[in-house]
Amino acid sequence: MMRRLAFLAPLGAVLAVAGAAAADPAAVTVTLGPDLKEDAAELGERDVRQQADRLAEVVRRALAGGGGELDGARIDLVLTDLKPNRPTFEQMARRPGLDGHRSLSIGGAAVEGSITTADGRVLPVRYDWYSSSLADVRGYTTWQDADRAYDRLAARLVDGRYLSR
């Protein structure tokens, strides 16, 4: 009988550690701010929705790799501004003179929202990032700088820095 109990004690410890290591991931939602909803027709509804989904994916992935304080949190983000580096399909359809390869602009994104931690604290979130000049625009995708903004926001959330301007 003692041998069975001796076996169960270490097994219980392993299961307890495994349960703690498998903490609930943060739940991330992204909605569109009112100004961006108005701009969505010009940028293309599909492109804007894809960017909101991309932001949620980037933040989820970053927090899954070590969200620490944000394990089990609810993160509600609002994509308030979105600027492409290259014309979207919708923009090129509306203005045929735009060249999808040669037309280049300063891009980026702005995000606001809140974090509700597992223990009930509500923390504000605010972040934006844009290229400062055309010389800073690197890459060839339409949403290069918006992706850079998402990556930087996600890294800040993992580091516990929620407000930045």
Side-chain angles (χ1 to χ4, degrees):
M1 176 85 162
M2 285 302 267
R3 284 188 173 189
R4 270 192 251 173
L5 291 177
F7 170 74
L8 291 177
L11 179 62
V14 167
L15 291 175
V17 169
D24 291 334
V28 180
T29 61
V30 177
T31 57
L32 304 177
D35 291 342
L36 185 55
K37 283 181 184 177
E38 288 179 22
D39 293 345
E42 179 189 327
L43 293 171
E45 301 281 343
R46 191 177 113 207
D47 270 318
V48 171
R49 187 70 246 156
Q50 286 175 340
Q51 288 307 300
D53 293 344
R54 174 80 177 131
L55 171 58
E57 174 191 329
V58 168
V59 170
R60 270 190 215 105
R61 192 174 343 126
L63 293 174
E69 178 182 315
L70 299 181
D71 285 342
R74 188 179 80 235
I75 302 174
D76 299 307
L77 301 175
V78 179
L79 189 56
T80 59
D81 190 32
L82 191 57
K83 303 287 186 222
N85 292 107
R86 301 201 181 273
T88 64
F89 288 118
E90 183 67 29
Q91 289 174 321
M92 287 189 291
R94 288 175 182 249
R95 297 189 359 226
L98 290 175
D99 183 329
H101 297 290
R102 292 187 204 137
S103 296
L104 187 66
S105 64
I106 292 172
V111 179
E112 295 181 1
S114 65
I115 297 168
T116 305
T117 62
D119 64 1
R121 291 179 297 139
V122 178
L123 309 167
V125 175
R126 186 173 43 246
Y127 184 76
D128 63 34
W129 188 87
Y130 300 90
S131 296
S132 57
S133 75
L134 288 177
D136 292 337
V137 176
R138 304 194 195 302
Y140 298 98
T141 68
T142 303
W143 300 106
Q144 185 73 35
D145 286 337
D147 265 341
R148 191 173 295 154
Y150 307 155
D151 288 339
R152 289 176 179 212
L153 170 61
R156 287 175 179 268
L157 291 175
V158 169
D159 290 345
R161 298 180 290 152
Y162 313 122
L163 295 173
S164 176
R165 281 270 174 200

